[in-house]
Amino acid sequence: MPAALIAFLALLAGIATPLSAADLQVKGLGWIGDRKAEQRLKLLIPHETANTLNASTIEDAALVLSSGLTDEGYLRPTIKAELTLEGDRHVSYPLDAQLEQPLPRPLAAIAATLRIERGQRFTLREITFTGLFALEPKNARAFFVGEDRIIPLDAERLYSPGRLQRSAGNLTETLRQMGYTHAEVKVGAVHIDAATGHVRATIVVTEGRRSVVDSLRFILTDHSPEPATVKAGRIGAPWNSLWRQETTTAIRRWYFAHGFPDVRIALVPEVVPQADGLDHVAVTVRVTPGEVVHVGAVRFIGNQNTRESTLRRLVKSSPGDLLNPIKFDNAEARLSQLGVFRTVDLHYNPPTAAVRDVVYNVTEGRRQEVSLLAGYGSYEQLRGGVEWQDYNLFGLAHSTDLKLVQSMKSSEGEYTYTVPQLFGTTRDGTARVFGLRQEELSFLHEEYGANVAVLWPLRRVGVTLTTGYTFKHVRDTNNELATQATDQTGTDVGSIGIGLVRERRDNPLRPHHGYKLALQADLADRGLGGDVVYQQFVLAGSYHTPWGNGRWLHFGLSHGVVTTSGAPTDNPLPVSVLFFPGGDGSIRGYRRGGAAPRAANGQFIGAKSYVQANVELEQALTANWSAVVFGDAVGTAVHLSDYPFNKELYSVGLGVRYQTIIGPVRVEYGHNLNPRVGDPNGTLQLSIGFPF
């Protein structure tokens, strides 16, 4: 069996590849902990060339394990080395972090087991600050034990000398960034209760005087114009390393743009204490621009399967241009964003000359990738699929993506062809064919068709624009709506889509601060190849803000409307174009589609207009668990004469969330405050991802 296949099967089984032919195992940390420890030893301890483990290797492994346990709060672990020697002899020796009793030498073990007893775990229970005035104690305490939680877990309050020193260093750096240039944070008295593992620590803070920038002037060696625009907004700011870095970078960028890649910059501060309690810093900038440099040739190395013409479109420069390193750094980033290179390295040849070649060394990466998809939602329940991606087609950095997804309620497939950075611009183009069969609450929706789109990143205004054309055949059958007698079962739709997104959230998967705005417009017309005329607009926004430590407020608002301006009297509007609110991302007291308007007989009707509002208070319980209390509301209108809505529904509820790398796993119950006849009193929702 090939060695690569053996290694792959071992990885799937969760079995660590041994350090050598000899067997080194870890016991005492639990099944998962043992496997992780063995993998760590594999990475950190050098391989043996013989089939035995010597004393130094075993001692090094024990030191690595002891260090890791200490950092996890186990300050006094015991480790016993159980060794199998040649001749099937078994011996054991105690080991500790100080190696007060080293292993006998010479030693040749054909197998070794490091058996661990972790002992008491030590946690920080109380932290006292002296000399701290610039920060609230609760904010400073977060450097040592994290944010305040309702349920303070030991895993978030671990104590070790190394952890405590690192936390003190982080607090020191924060004070210095606030302008306290000479701030010092030291660990004072530490009281350790060996029986309980509880630790009390005193942190001694010496802040010193705060420094602010009072003036900024330039001294130029060649009397060239100074970059006066750099001064804007920098006077009166705290004097710290970040200010120095940002100011130096702004000056350097100015000179780079004027063809001075070798510019040298030195910031010389003069500190003058003032009676206002501050140190006023007068900053002198000494600039040596160097000589003007021009571009020679632009060359690419390593692109064996990628056409040079594809790469050259992304480097906007010609021989004889001023050499601006920022321009070529940006081109390096764009080459990396093509998704076909593992590495992109930029250098200049020769490194110092009046004319320099620009050289990009690239290492080509993956060509194909297969991924398994999985998910769960209260409506669609179990969801799974497969995704196959192919990169760098025809050497043009084009890619294809085939996705097949099946759930308990739907079948979906799509094939997408992507052309990155069209014609050397920042715009991406896609062509897509798709098919969908989905069981809605009151009808079966089917559609298949094709779409072409262009993604336009408008960085100056912080907006992403998407434009595209879609042609699809829509079929809605098994219709149980109140309007089934007049609803069309199938029709062709040709439409232009326009999307605008402004994303300003700190984390789209777990937002705690910022906002998002999105507008989607689909304009269908018979002149675009379809049989229907309509205009569908959906505007959505969310806002997130902290409310004390470990608490956040989340607000969501969305509005959708469908109009038929310019439509003939025989316009067959598909029911799937209308709105059917309800579900884990809408009003959570109803399952998906269950909050749609009802007719007099209780059957559902699609809405032509809706307004939805969501508000949540999230309280962190631990680092990964949180609880939420929420209120949802939706108003709907069947006829545009009742715009924006004439019927309202309200839900309130509670939920818990567990944070994962793909977003929060949510379990929520929404209780309906004004259910209609036929509506549930509430609904339990299980889903993955933030609701709005």
Side-chain angles (χ1 to χ4, degrees):
M1 185 179 293
L5 181 57
I6 294 175
F8 177 69
L9 293 176
L11 178 62
L12 289 180
I15 300 174
T17 303
L19 298 173
S20 64
D23 186 23
L24 178 58
Q25 296 183 348
V26 177
K27 300 293 183 183
L29 303 178
W31 190 87
I32 295 177
D34 293 344
R35 302 286 82 74
K36 288 183 176 180
E38 290 170 2
Q39 288 286 357
R40 188 181 183 196
L41 294 179
K42 174 186 172 184
L43 293 173
L44 298 180
I45 305 299
H47 289 5
E48 292 290 328
T49 56
N51 293 331
T52 59
L53 298 166
N54 63 28
S56 295
T57 297
I58 297 171
E59 289 171 347
D60 289 345
L63 288 174
V64 169
L65 294 175
S66 179
S67 175
L69 289 168
T70 298
D71 203 52
E72 290 298 315
Y74 300 101
L75 303 186
R76 301 169 185 174
T78 60
I79 302 177
K80 181 185 291 185
E82 300 175 349
L83 310 179
T84 301
L85 308 180
E86 293 180 350
D88 201 29
R89 291 185 298 126
H90 299 275
V91 295
S92 64
Y93 301 96
L95 294 171
D96 57 34
Q98 290 74 36
L99 291 179
E100 294 179 354
Q101 296 179 335
L103 295 175
R105 286 159 168 80
L107 180 67
I110 60 176
T113 298
L114 298 179
R115 193 169 299 277
I116 299 171
E117 291 187 10
R118 290 178 287 195
Q120 179 68 56
R121 198 177 205 185
F122 292 82
T123 56
L124 276 171
R125 294 292 172 169
E126 183 180 335
I127 301 174
T128 304
F129 296 93
T130 64
L132 179 66
F133 305 99
L135 288 173
E136 290 289 335
K138 66 178 181 180
N139 296 331
R141 192 173 293 112
F143 287 90
F144 297 85
V145 295
E147 296 181 348
D148 292 336
R149 312 288 187 188
I150 289 181
I151 305 176
L153 298 181
D154 286 350
E156 300 169 15
R157 309 173 69 88
L158 300 179
Y159 167 76
S160 73
R163 278 179 177 265
L164 197 60
Q165 290 292 346
R166 290 195 297 271
S167 298
N170 292 335
L171 178 55
T172 301
E173 181 59 26
T174 297
L175 290 172
R176 291 180 179 178
Q177 293 303 324
M178 294 172 64
Y180 296 93
T181 309
H182 303 292
E184 291 186 357
V185 179
K186 296 181 178 180
V187 177
V190 177
H191 301 279
I192 300 176
D193 188 330
T196 63
H198 293 178
V199 179
R200 293 182 291 113
T202 299
I203 306 300
V204 180
V205 180
T206 304
E207 294 179 349
R209 293 169 63 93
R210 188 166 181 261
S211 302
V212 297
V213 179
D214 184 63
S215 62
L216 178 64
R217 69 187 186 95
F218 292 86
I219 296 178
L220 307 173
T221 59
D222 62 352
H223 307 290
S224 60
E226 68 177 43
T229 55
V230 173
K231 296 182 180 180
R234 301 184 188 277
I235 307 302
W239 167 252
N240 55 35
S241 60
L242 182 61
W243 187 95
R244 295 193 293 271
Q245 179 182 347
E246 290 181 344
T247 302
T248 302
T249 299
I251 298 170
R252 183 171 286 113
R253 290 176 67 91
W254 189 92
Y255 279 96
F256 282 173
H258 291 78
F260 297 96
D262 302 323
V263 60
R264 296 195 304 274
I265 302 166
L267 271 60
V268 181
E270 181 181 353
V271 180
V272 180
Q274 297 288 345
D276 58 4
L278 301 176
D279 285 348
H280 289 229
V281 182
V283 182
T284 300
V285 183
R286 300 183 182 275
V287 180
T288 305
E291 65 177 338
V292 176
V293 178
H294 292 83
V295 176
V298 177
R299 296 187 285 117
F300 302 92
I301 299 174
N303 52 313
Q304 298 178 355
N305 299 303
T306 309
R307 298 184 185 183
E308 184 169 314
S309 58
T310 299
L311 309 182
R312 195 165 293 279
R313 284 200 300 267
L314 304 183
V315 184
K316 305 292 188 180
S317 184
S318 302
D321 290 350
L322 291 175
L323 195 153
N324 182 353
I326 297 174
K327 178 187 297 186
F328 295 108
D329 287 345
N330 291 339
E332 180 182 14
R334 293 181 64 188
L335 290 170
S336 299
Q337 292 167 4
L338 287 175
V340 298
F341 300 124
R342 283 205 311 272
T343 62
V344 179
D345 179 59
L346 166 66
H347 68 275
Y348 302 99
N349 188 30
T352 57
V355 178
R356 304 174 193 177
D357 291 347
V358 180
V359 182
Y360 291 96
N361 276 294
V362 300
T363 303
E364 294 180 328
R366 57 189 177 178
R367 300 297 299 274
Q368 293 184 349
E369 188 172 88
V370 178
S371 305
L372 297 179
L373 309 174
Y376 188 89
S378 294
Y379 182 75
E380 291 199 73
Q381 302 177 34
L382 188 63
R383 179 181 179 92
V386 62
E387 183 176 14
W388 172 75
Q389 294 171 294
D390 195 356
Y391 302 92
N392 205 7
L393 273 73
F394 315 116
L396 298 172
H398 297 182
S399 64
T400 60
D401 185 321
L402 175 64
K403 186 184 300 182
L404 303 173
V405 180
Q406 179 67 52
S407 75
M408 306 300 290
K409 296 288 187 179
S410 67
S411 301
E412 181 180 0
E414 67 176 34
Y415 176 82
T416 304
Y417 189 100
T418 301
V419 181
Q421 306 188 45
L422 279 169
F423 311 116
T425 69
T426 58
R427 299 182 288 274
D428 295 342
T430 62
R432 183 171 65 100
V433 293
F434 57 88
L436 171 66
R437 183 181 187 275
Q438 183 163 283
E439 297 179 25
E440 301 291 355
L441 188 60
S442 299
F443 61 95
L444 174 64
H445 175 66
E446 298 176 348
E447 67 178 42
Y448 56 87
N451 164 269
V452 291
V454 178
L455 179 68
W456 312 65
L458 308 178
R459 294 189 176 92
R460 291 187 178 181
V461 292
V463 170
T464 299
L465 168 66
T466 304
T467 57
Y469 169 78
T470 302
F471 180 85
K472 61 184 178 181
H473 179 76
V474 177
R475 179 176 171 84
D476 298 316
T477 57
N478 296 355
N479 193 324
E480 298 177 3
L481 298 168
T483 55
Q484 59 181 284
T486 58
D487 289 335
Q488 295 290 328
T489 58
T491 188
D492 292 330
V493 178
S495 64
I496 292 176
I498 302 172
L500 287 170
V501 177
R502 182 177 175 86
E503 175 67 84
R504 286 294 181 270
R505 296 180 295 180
D506 57 345
N507 186 337
L509 296 179
R510 190 184 183 184
H512 287 162
H513 183 269
Y515 67 92
K516 177 183 179 181
L517 296 174
L519 170 65
Q520 180 64 44
D522 290 307
L523 313 175
D525 193 87
R526 291 186 174 182
L528 297 172
D531 300 327
V532 294
V533 177
Y534 65 82
Q535 302 86 38
Q536 185 193 69
F537 302 92
V538 177
L539 176 64
S542 65
Y543 177 74
H544 316 267
T545 185
W547 189 30
N549 288 335
R551 284 190 303 275
W552 304 275
L553 286 170
H554 308 287
F555 302 93
L557 184 65
S558 63
H559 171 49
V561 62
V562 175
T563 62
T564 53
S565 177
T569 55
D570 61 342
N571 187 50
L573 192 64
V575 295
S576 54
V577 173
L578 304 176
F579 302 108
F580 295 84
D584 55 68
S586 178
I587 178 169
R588 282 163 277 189
Y590 298 83
R591 60 175 174 161
R592 176 171 167 172
R598 288 184 181 269
N601 62 2
Q603 290 182 302
F604 290 112
I605 307 174
K608 284 192 173 182
S609 173
Y610 82 95
V611 177
Q612 176 182 300
N614 309 89
V615 60
E616 288 186 349
L617 171 61
E618 181 180 3
Q619 170 66 62
L621 303 177
T622 69
N624 292 321
W625 287 94
S626 63
V628 294
V629 56
F630 60 84
D632 301 326
V634 66
T636 57
V638 174
H639 305 288
L640 290 181
S641 58
D642 297 318
Y643 177 86
F645 58 86
N646 64 342
K647 299 291 183 182
E648 308 91 37
L649 296 174
Y650 302 93
S651 293
V652 296
L654 300 169
V656 293
R657 293 175 183 171
Y658 179 75
Q659 305 299 333
T660 71
I661 59 174
I662 58 174
V665 176
R666 300 158 42 212
V667 180
E668 298 162 335
Y669 178 79
H671 175 71
N672 295 324
L673 299 181
N674 59 335
R676 304 160 299 188
V677 175
D679 286 349
N681 291 324
T683 301
L684 181 67
Q685 307 280 0
L686 174 60
S687 58
I688 300 176
F690 200 81
F692 52 86

